Amino acid sequence: MILHLISADNNTSIIYIHEELPPNTLLIQSISSTNSLQWLPSSYIYKIYFNLNQNQSLYTTDKRIDREEFCEKNLCNCSFCLLTLNFLQTFSTNNISIRTIQIVIEDINDHAPTFKQSFIKLPIAENVPIGYEIPLESAIDNDYGIFSIQNYKLHPSINNPFRLIQTNKPILKLIESLDREIKSNYLLQLIADDGGSTPLSGQQKIEIIITDVNDNPPVFDRSLYQQSIPENNKINTVILQIHASDRDEYENARISYSVEDSTGIFRINEYTGELYLIKTLDYEKIRSYSISITARDHGIPQLSNYAQLIIDVTDVNDNVPNILITSINGTYYDNQPISLLECTSKGTSLFYIYANDEDSNENGRVSCTLNDTRLNLIYLTLNAYSLQISGLPLFDYETEQYINIKLNCTDNGLPSLSKSILFHINLEDCNDNPPDIISPLPFNETLLILYETTEIPYIITEFIIKDRDRFQLNTFTYSFIVTPFLNLTLTNNGTLILCSMPLIMGLYIVNVTVYDSGNLTSSISIPINIHSINETMILKKFSMENTSLILILSFFIIIFIASILIGICFLITFLLRHDKQSKKSLCLCCYSCFNIQIKSIRNSSCESMNSSNERTDSLQKTTIEVLDDGRNPSNRIHQYGVKEANDLKVINTRGVDQGDFSYSEKVERYLTHLNNGIIGIDTTFSDEGVYGSSDISPDQIQQFTVRPPSIISIPSSQQHYQDSLKRFEQLYSLVEHRQQTAFTSDSLYV
C-alpha cells in the first residue's frame, strides 16, 4: 500500500490509495484543528467505507475497498476512480466552509479473466474455405487499464488447422482445409491473460465439430451495434432492428435471432430482428447495457454468428429535488416548530439545507428560494445552503407569534421540477418595546393650581402605563426631575402628588421617566403653573378697564339718542297729566316708548360689549327687571303687563300708604323725576331707566321689607314677578323721597 497526500488548496486534499486496503487503515490524520467537521449529506454514501473519528482523522472501515464495486455502482468513473468526500467545517455561527477530501482509488490486479462458458461446442462444415474465421466469446476481467485482459493464447498452438488472431476480440482462423473423414473434431483451449506483473489468466475449452453441410454462417451488417435511448422511453417500443444475412439457400439461409440479457429489459423478435424495450429504464441506476446478439441459421448443422449491442441510457429530468435539513449541531429537522427569539441578531445561522437531485448535469443542479425576506439562503457549495437571519425587516413578536416559511427548491431541467417544504417558526418575546404612557396624554397646556384653594396633599395626575411586550411584567419604576425645586412625591403605582406649596409661585416643569423591567424608558413633561386667585382678579379687572375706546364711544352715542327720545316722551306726559284718564293713557304710551328705547339701548350695549364680557367674570349682582313689552317671552325671564299691577299697593319703609297712586301713575311720577334730574342720582342710573340693576348699600337695603334676589338663586316666575315689582318700588321710593344713592359703572350692567 502506498499513500500519496497532495494539498490542492486550503480546503481540498487529494489522497491516492490502492484498493483492498486492510480494515481501519489511517488515510489522513487531524483534518481539522477543531472538532467541527460534519459529513455533508451528499457524501453519506461513503460513510460505510470511511470513518471520521473524534480526533478528526479519516480511516477506512471494515468494508472492503473494491475499485470494481465502486465502478459497478456508478460511485466513480471506471477509467479514473475518484471519490469526493465533502465535510462541513464550522468555526463559528457565522464562519462556515466546506472541506473536501478527494480519494483516488488505484487499481490492483485482483481479478482474473473469466469466460461466461467454460466449455463450448462449435460445429464447422468441412467445406469451409481456408481463411474462414470463427468469432469467439471474449473473456471478462473486472480490472481496468493494464490489469485488464491484454492477450489471448490458443493451446495447443500446433498440430491443429486453426490459429488465433490477436485482436480485441478472439477469432479463430482456419489455415488448413478440413476433412471430416480424417478428423471429425478438435479440442482446443482458449487462454486469456491480463497485464499484471504476475499475470492472471482464465481458460475456456472449445470443441470444434467438423460437419459436411451448411457451410455459410449468418453474417451481421455490423459487428458492433450502438444505440442511445432516453430513460423515459416507452416500453414495448422498437429500439432498433438487427439484420444478418446468410449466403446459403432455403433452410440453411433462414436465420433466427436471440439475445443474452440477464436483466430481462430487452426482447428481440427472433424472425425480424426488432429489439424491444419491455421494462422501464432508470439512468440513475444503470446508464448503459451491453448485450450479445446471436444469429443462427436452420441448416444442418446450424451455423451461428455473434454481434455486440451497446445501449446508452440518456438522462431526463424525472427526479424532483430531495431536501435535507440539519440544524447547526448536525441533528435532522423533523418538521417540529422552531423556537426563535424575535431579537435574534442578523447573520445568525439556523439550519443547513441540502438539495440533492439524482438527475445528472443541469437536471441535477438545484436552486432554492424563500418567501420571506427576513431570512437569507447563503450559498455554501453545489446544492448546499446555510439559512441565516437577514435582519430586514426584523421579526416582531407583538405583530405575529408564529411564522410559516416556505422553502422552494427547483432544478434546472427542462421542464424544471421543484419541491417545497414549510418551516414553522414560533417567535419568542424579547424586551424590545419601551413602556407606553397611556395616561396622562402629552400636555398641550399648562396645568393650573390655585395657591389659596388647593388642598395639600394634592394629586396632580395618575400614570397608566402599558407595555407591548407579552411577557413584560406590568410593574414599572419611575423617576422625575422638577425645575425649579418643588416638593413632589411619585408613588410606586404612578401617582404624582404635590406635598406642599412652594414659597414662590410660578411655572414648574416636571420631567417624569418610566422604566420597564428591561430598563427601556419613556418620558413625559408636565408644565405646572402655581398662581394666586388675587392675581387672576387683577387681570380680569385690568381687562375690563381696557375695553376698546370705539365700543365705549358707540355706547354713549346710543345713550344720547335714547335720552332725546325719552325727553320727548316726558314732555308729552307733563302736558297731559291734568286729565287723570288722559294721563293714564298717555303714561302707558310714554312708558311703551320708553321701554322700547331702553331695550334698544340694552341690546346694542350687549352686542357691543359681548366680546369683553365673555373674557371677564363679574361679581354677583342683584338683577331687577321692572317691565317688559312681552312680545318675545322665550328670551325673557320675567313678563307681566301694566294692567296686571294696577291694583297693587306698595308700602314704603316710612309706613305711608302709597295706595293713592296707581301703578301707571307711579311709573309716570318716576319718569318725571328722572327727566328733571333730581337728587344726585348717577347718570348711569338715570339712563338705565326702569330697566337696570344696581348694588344698594346694606344700610339702604335694610330699609325695605324685601331683599332683592341674587342672580345665583333663580326663583319661580311668580316670585320673579313679585321681586321685580318690589325692586321698582325701591327705586321709586329712592326717587320720590330724594334719598341719596351712589351708583357706579362697576355695579351696573344691562
Side-chain angles (χ1 to χ4, degrees):
M1 177 185 68
I2 301 177
L3 299 177
H4 305 278
L5 178 62
I6 300 176
S7 178
D9 53 50
N10 292 335
N11 290 327
T12 304
S13 298
I14 303 177
I15 303 174
Y16 289 83
I17 66 173
H18 292 293
E19 63 178 339
E20 304 297 338
L21 291 177
N24 300 319
T25 300
L26 175 65
L27 301 183
I28 181 172
Q29 187 171 6
S30 298
I31 300 175
S32 173
S33 59
T34 61
N35 296 331
S36 61
L37 289 182
Q38 300 178 30
W39 286 88
L40 283 179
S42 59
S43 301
Y44 281 174
I45 193 171
Y46 302 117
K47 293 178 72 173
I48 62 174
Y49 302 98
F50 304 97
N51 178 38
L52 182 68
N53 68 4
Q54 296 179 351
N55 297 326
Q56 307 293 288
S57 298
L58 189 64
Y59 288 81
T60 63
T61 63
D62 294 333
K63 182 72 173 179
R64 184 169 65 95
I65 304 297
D66 186 0
R67 186 179 187 275
E68 289 69 39
E69 179 182 353
F70 285 93
C71 174
E72 290 175 358
K73 293 182 177 180
N74 291 325
L75 297 178
C76 70
N77 192 296
C78 294
S79 60
F80 182 76
C81 188
L82 173 65
L83 308 181
T84 301
L85 279 62
N86 289 320
F87 300 90
L88 182 67
Q89 191 169 15
T90 304
F91 297 98
S92 66
T93 303
N94 298 321
N95 186 4
I96 58 177
S97 64
I98 302 298
R99 182 64 185 272
T100 301
I101 306 296
Q102 293 183 336
I103 300 177
V104 179
I105 302 177
E106 296 182 342
D107 196 15
I108 64 173
N109 193 21
D110 58 340
H111 293 87
T114 59
F115 292 86
K116 290 184 179 179
Q117 301 180 50
S118 61
F119 177 79
I120 61 172
K121 291 182 178 182
L122 296 177
I124 298 177
E126 63 176 349
N127 58 349
V128 296
I130 295 174
Y132 177 79
E133 295 180 355
I134 304 173
L136 301 176
E137 178 187 3
S138 299
I140 299 173
D141 194 336
N142 290 329
D143 294 322
Y144 290 86
I146 193 174
F147 299 122
S148 62
I149 297 173
Q150 299 298 315
N151 60 75
Y152 292 91
K153 296 183 295 185
L154 188 64
H155 184 77
S157 59
I158 57 174
N159 298 326
N160 71 75
F162 300 97
R163 293 293 181 268
L164 187 64
I165 299 177
Q166 297 294 326
T167 61
N168 292 335
K169 184 176 181 180
I171 297 176
L172 285 179
K173 186 175 183 180
L174 183 64
I175 60 174
E176 297 176 6
S177 60
L178 299 175
D179 189 354
R180 183 180 181 277
E181 284 71 23
I182 297 175
K183 190 173 179 62
S184 62
N185 66 330
Y186 295 88
L187 291 176
L188 304 175
Q189 187 176 22
L190 180 63
I191 301 172
D193 294 330
D194 62 19
S197 57
T198 301
L200 301 177
S201 61
Q203 299 83 29
Q204 183 184 55
K205 292 181 179 181
I206 302 173
E207 180 182 8
I208 298 177
I209 301 173
I210 308 299
T211 65
D212 55 353
V213 288
N214 192 21
D215 54 355
N216 288 292
V219 178
F220 287 97
D221 295 340
R222 289 175 288 173
S223 61
L224 178 64
Y225 292 88
Q226 194 163 4
Q227 182 73 18
S228 295
I229 59 175
E231 62 175 325
N232 63 345
N233 196 89
K234 294 182 179 180
I235 61 175
N236 295 321
T237 57
V238 178
I239 298 174
L240 78 162
Q241 187 172 15
I242 306 298
H243 183 265
S245 60
D246 195 314
R247 291 182 296 171
D248 295 324
E249 295 180 344
Y250 307 114
E251 286 298 310
N252 292 334
R254 186 164 64 90
I255 300 173
S256 296
Y257 301 95
S258 63
V259 295
E260 294 182 6
D261 177 24
S262 60
T263 62
I265 294 178
F266 304 97
R267 176 179 64 83
I268 194 169
N269 188 317
E270 63 174 331
Y271 303 110
T272 63
E274 292 177 335
L275 188 67
Y276 291 88
L277 177 68
I278 61 175
K279 292 183 180 180
T280 57
L281 300 175
D282 191 348
Y283 174 84
E284 287 69 41
K285 293 182 179 179
I286 301 178
R287 302 186 179 185
S288 65
Y289 296 87
S290 179
I291 301 173
S292 177
I293 301 177
T294 303
R296 292 184 176 88
D297 62 21
H298 288 256
I300 299 175
Q302 277 188 327
L303 298 180
S304 61
N305 204 348
Y306 303 93
Q308 194 73 16
L309 172 61
I310 297 177
I311 297 177
D312 294 322
V313 181
T314 59
D315 188 29
V316 295
N317 192 28
D318 59 345
N319 289 282
V320 297
N322 181 31
I323 302 175
L324 180 64
I325 302 173
T326 62
S327 61
I328 299 300
N329 58 11
T331 58
Y332 291 104
Y333 171 67
D334 54 359
N335 293 325
Q336 294 298 319
I338 307 161
S339 294
L340 178 66
L341 287 173
E342 63 172 328
C343 54
T344 303
S345 60
K346 176 182 178 181
T348 302
S349 294
L350 302 180
F351 293 101
Y352 297 125
I353 298 173
Y354 313 97
N356 296 325
D357 196 313
E358 295 181 354
D359 295 319
S360 62
N361 302 325
E362 289 302 311
N363 294 335
R365 188 180 297 275
V366 180
S367 58
C368 298
T369 58
L370 291 170
N371 68 335
D372 198 314
T373 59
R374 292 172 290 187
L375 297 174
N376 274 343
L377 286 176
I378 305 302
Y379 180 82
L380 299 177
T381 186
L382 180 64
N383 299 346
Y385 299 88
S386 172
L387 182 65
Q388 296 183 359
I389 302 293
S390 68
L392 294 174
L394 296 174
F395 290 107
D396 188 4
Y397 175 84
E398 286 68 41
T399 303
E400 52 185 348
Q401 286 75 48
Y402 61 90
I403 303 169
N404 292 326
I405 305 297
K406 183 179 181 181
L407 172 69
N408 185 67
C409 293
T410 306
D411 61 27
N412 291 346
L414 291 175
S416 61
L417 300 177
S418 62
K419 184 177 182 180
S420 300
I421 62 173
L422 287 176
F423 291 100
H424 303 284
I425 298 179
N426 290 336
L427 289 180
E428 294 184 358
D429 193 20
C430 292
N431 187 26
D432 58 345
N433 290 285
D436 294 330
I437 301 176
I438 306 301
S439 177
L441 298 176
F443 286 84
N444 296 325
E445 297 181 358
T446 303
L447 180 63
L448 299 178
I449 298 178
L450 288 176
Y451 186 87
E452 293 86 353
T453 60
T454 301
E455 295 184 1
I456 300 299
Y458 174 72
I459 296 177
I460 297 175
T461 187
E462 293 185 359
F463 287 89
I464 300 176
I465 310 298
K466 297 293 183 182
D467 199 308
R468 295 179 62 228
D469 292 319
R470 174 66 65 88
F471 297 106
Q472 165 68 37
L473 298 176
N474 286 326
T475 55
F476 306 95
T477 56
Y478 303 86
S479 67
F480 69 91
I481 299 175
V482 58
T483 305
F485 174 77
L486 190 63
N487 187 9
L488 300 177
T489 297
L490 185 56
T491 63
N492 292 334
N493 62 358
T495 302
L496 184 63
I497 302 174
L498 176 62
C499 298
S500 63
M501 285 294 181
L503 297 177
I504 300 175
M505 291 178 288
L507 181 64
Y508 295 84
I509 304 298
V510 182
N511 294 312
V512 180
T513 303
V514 185
Y515 302 82
D516 65 10
S517 61
N519 285 330
L520 296 180
T521 65
S522 293
S523 300
I524 189 172
S525 181
I526 304 175
I528 300 174
N529 186 7
I530 300 178
H531 65 101
S532 172
I533 191 171
N534 296 324
E535 295 176 355
T536 304
M537 294 174 63
I538 293 172
L539 289 175
K540 291 179 180 179
K541 182 176 181 180
F542 178 79
S543 176
M544 292 182 62
E545 291 176 351
N546 285 275
T547 304
S548 172
L549 179 60
I550 296 176
L551 296 177
I552 295 175
L553 291 176
S554 300
F555 176 78
F556 280 106
I557 290 173
I558 295 172
I559 293 295
F560 177 74
I561 296 172
S563 299
I564 294 175
L565 295 176
I566 293 171
I568 294 173
C569 292
F570 279 146
L571 179 60
I572 295 172
T573 304
F574 179 78
L575 294 176
L576 298 177
R577 68 183 297 179
H578 294 287
D579 187 357
K580 186 174 182 180
Q581 297 298 325
S582 298
K583 288 179 183 179
K584 183 175 182 180
S585 300
L586 183 61
C587 180
L588 291 174
C589 178
C590 293
Y591 179 75
S592 297
C593 179
F594 166 77
N595 181 30
I596 293 171
Q597 296 303 322
I598 294 302
K599 184 174 181 180
S600 174
I601 295 171
R602 181 183 64 172
N603 291 338
S604 299
S605 299
C606 286
E607 290 175 358
S608 63
M609 296 297 289
N610 184 49
S611 61
S612 175
N613 289 337
E614 287 178 352
R615 294 189 300 268
T616 61
D617 294 326
S618 298
L619 296 176
Q620 294 183 358
K621 306 297 181 181
T622 301
T623 301
I624 301 298
E625 186 170 1
V626 176
L627 188 62
D628 203 326
D629 58 2
R631 285 179 296 177
N632 192 355
S634 63
N635 294 331
R636 290 159 178 81
I637 300 176
H638 318 297
Q639 178 180 350
Y640 51 89
V642 173
K643 64 179 181 178
E644 294 175 356
N646 284 339
D647 298 329
L648 292 177
K649 295 180 181 292
V650 179
I651 305 301
N652 63 13
T653 56
R654 298 179 183 179
V656 180
D657 187 359
Q658 300 297 329
D660 297 335
F661 300 112
S662 66
Y663 184 81
S664 58
E665 289 174 335
K666 289 183 180 182
V667 172
E668 180 183 359
R669 289 175 62 80
Y670 178 71
L671 293 177
T672 302
H673 289 305
L674 290 180
N675 188 46
N676 294 333
I678 61 175
I679 302 203
I681 297 176
D682 188 91
T683 57
T684 304
F685 173 76
S686 300
D687 291 339
E688 287 268 327
V690 179
Y691 283 83
S693 64
S694 64
D695 286 343
I696 304 175
S697 65
D699 295 335
Q700 294 169 336
I701 292 176
Q702 291 176 359
Q703 297 174 5
F704 305 103
T705 58
V706 180
R707 180 176 178 175
S710 171
I711 194 172
I712 62 174
S713 59
I714 302 176
S716 63
S717 298
Q718 182 65 24
Q719 183 67 34
H720 270 293
Y721 172 81
Q722 296 292 336
D723 290 344
S724 298
L725 181 62
K726 292 176 181 178
R727 177 58 173 164
F728 170 74
E729 296 292 349
Q730 294 170 6
L731 295 176
Y732 173 79
S733 176
L734 292 175
V735 175
E736 181 74 14
H737 299 288
R738 304 282 197 270
Q739 295 187 14
Q740 296 290 339
T741 304
F743 297 95
T744 65
S745 60
D746 288 342
S747 63
L748 294 172
Y749 65 102
V750 177

